[in-house]
Every structure is written in C-alpha cells, then in structure tokens.
Amino acid sequence: LAIGLALKDSMSNIASGAQIIFTKPFRVGDYLALDSVEGTVERIEIMFTTLRTFDNKEVIIPNSKITDSVITNYSAMKTRRLDLHYSIGYGEDIALVKRLLNDLTESNPRILKDPSPLIVVGEHRDSSLAMEVRIWCKTEDYLTLYFEMQEKVRLAFDEAGIRIPFNQVDIHMKPAG
C-alpha cells in the first residue's frame, strides 16, 4: 500500500507525459502560460516539462500539473492581434489623433493589412478618452511591435501637440459663511 501510494504521483506524471507527447498541445519552442508561470518550452519529458522564463529561470513542472491546467499557447497561431490603448485629453482633436494612429499603422511593415487595423474611441474615462488600436501581426513580431508602437505613438503625439493627460481632481470649496 505504501509503495502504491508513493508511485501514484509518478504514474500520474508518466500518463500525463504520454498524453502530452501524443496529443501535442504544445511543442519545444512554444511560449506558454499556465497557472502562475509562463515561458518557452525547453524540454518535454515523460515525467516533467521544462520552461525557460523571460528572465532566464528554469521552471520544471510535473506533467500531471500541466494536464490539469488551462494552457495558453501564445505560439500556436501564425498571427496575433495586438491591442493598444492610448489616453488623450477631452480637448484633443479626435480626428487628428485617429489620422496619426492610422498613419503609424499604415507605414509599419510589421502590421498586417488583413485584417485591417481598427482605430476607435474605446472609452470615456474620468480624465481622458481611451483610444484603442487593434492591429494584427506575425506572432514572432508581437513584442517588438508592441514596444515600437509605444515609442512611435508618444513621439507622434508630442510632435502634433497631443496631450496625454494624467489623473486629476478638481476641488471646489464653498466660501465660509
């Protein structure tokens, strides 16, 4: 009984490893997120799967934990949608902002033309309007495009005089009396 209980977890990991190897929900080189860890798959073995995190940590996960988890495979598809959000002041020219964002999306070779980019006012916030830009790119370009767009949008807004507001509160005091 003691040996059987001791082997229970090992047998579960072996069965889960076989399931992963045969069903191939992910491959070596894929970028995964599951539970509280994400990283690139380094090795898939019969008992464990090893991920390498962005900050170069090696995470060894028992296969039974993987088959019991929800897995997000960021590498599974050839393309991904990148959702970007930019705040502008209520006094800014929305048409100008949309034109600037459209120019940036049209001139960037990493952004796919089909499906076409979507540029809209996404939300009215307390101190700003939230502009949303939804663009598609190749999966391998996702992070590069994200950081590139952050910088280019800021520079374009600065050049055009578009104000990026910060949260503020107006206080009105009643006169004593």
Side-chain angles (χ1 to χ4, degrees):
L1 180 65
I3 294 171
L5 288 174
L7 291 175
K8 179 182 74 104
D9 288 340
S10 293
M11 295 306 291
S12 177
N13 283 329
I14 290 170
S16 295
Q19 181 182 352
I20 291 169
I21 290 168
F22 290 117
T23 62
K24 294 182 171 74
F26 53 85
R27 292 171 166 61
V28 170
D30 282 356
Y31 188 83
L32 306 180
L34 52 119
D35 293 335
S36 62
V37 67
E38 56 183 77
T40 302
V41 177
E42 292 281 314
R43 290 185 307 278
I44 303 169
E45 298 171 346
I46 199 70
M47 296 279 289
F48 303 97
T49 295
T50 304
L51 300 182
R52 174 91 43 211
T53 64
F54 261 129
D55 55 351
N56 208 30
K57 293 177 190 166
E58 183 176 79
V59 180
I60 301 166
I61 307 165
N63 286 331
S64 62
K65 298 274 189 204
I66 293 173
T67 56
D68 285 342
S69 298
V70 173
I71 302 168
T72 302
N73 187 340
Y74 292 101
S75 306
M77 308 308 266
K78 292 182 182 187
T79 60
R80 285 187 62 192
R81 189 179 80 189
L82 175 57
D83 295 344
L84 302 167
H85 308 276
Y86 302 104
S87 296
I88 63 169
Y90 274 99
E92 301 301 331
D93 182 348
I94 293 173
L96 172 61
V97 170
K98 288 175 90 170
R99 199 166 39 255
L100 289 171
L101 294 170
N102 188 60
D103 290 347
L104 288 173
T105 61
E106 283 185 0
S107 65
N108 194 315
R110 287 186 175 87
I111 298 173
L112 302 176
K113 304 302 180 213
D114 186 33
S116 60
L118 176 68
I119 301 168
V120 295
V121 175
E123 187 178 3
H124 293 255
R125 296 183 182 152
D126 290 339
S127 301
S128 64
L129 291 173
M131 300 299 297
E132 291 187 18
V133 178
R134 295 181 179 179
I135 51 182
W136 287 84
C137 64
K138 293 179 182 175
T139 299
E140 63 266 17
D141 290 339
Y142 186 87
L143 275 179
T144 301
L145 182 59
Y146 173 81
F147 292 120
E148 184 178 302
M149 286 296 291
Q150 297 305 331
E151 182 176 336
K152 286 186 176 189
V153 168
R154 175 60 196 258
L155 293 173
F157 281 10
D158 285 351
E159 187 176 314
I162 303 297
R163 189 176 63 85
I164 299 173
F166 52 89
N167 287 335
Q168 57 188 7
V169 176
D170 291 334
I171 299 174
H172 301 275
M173 298 179 68
K174 293 182 180 182

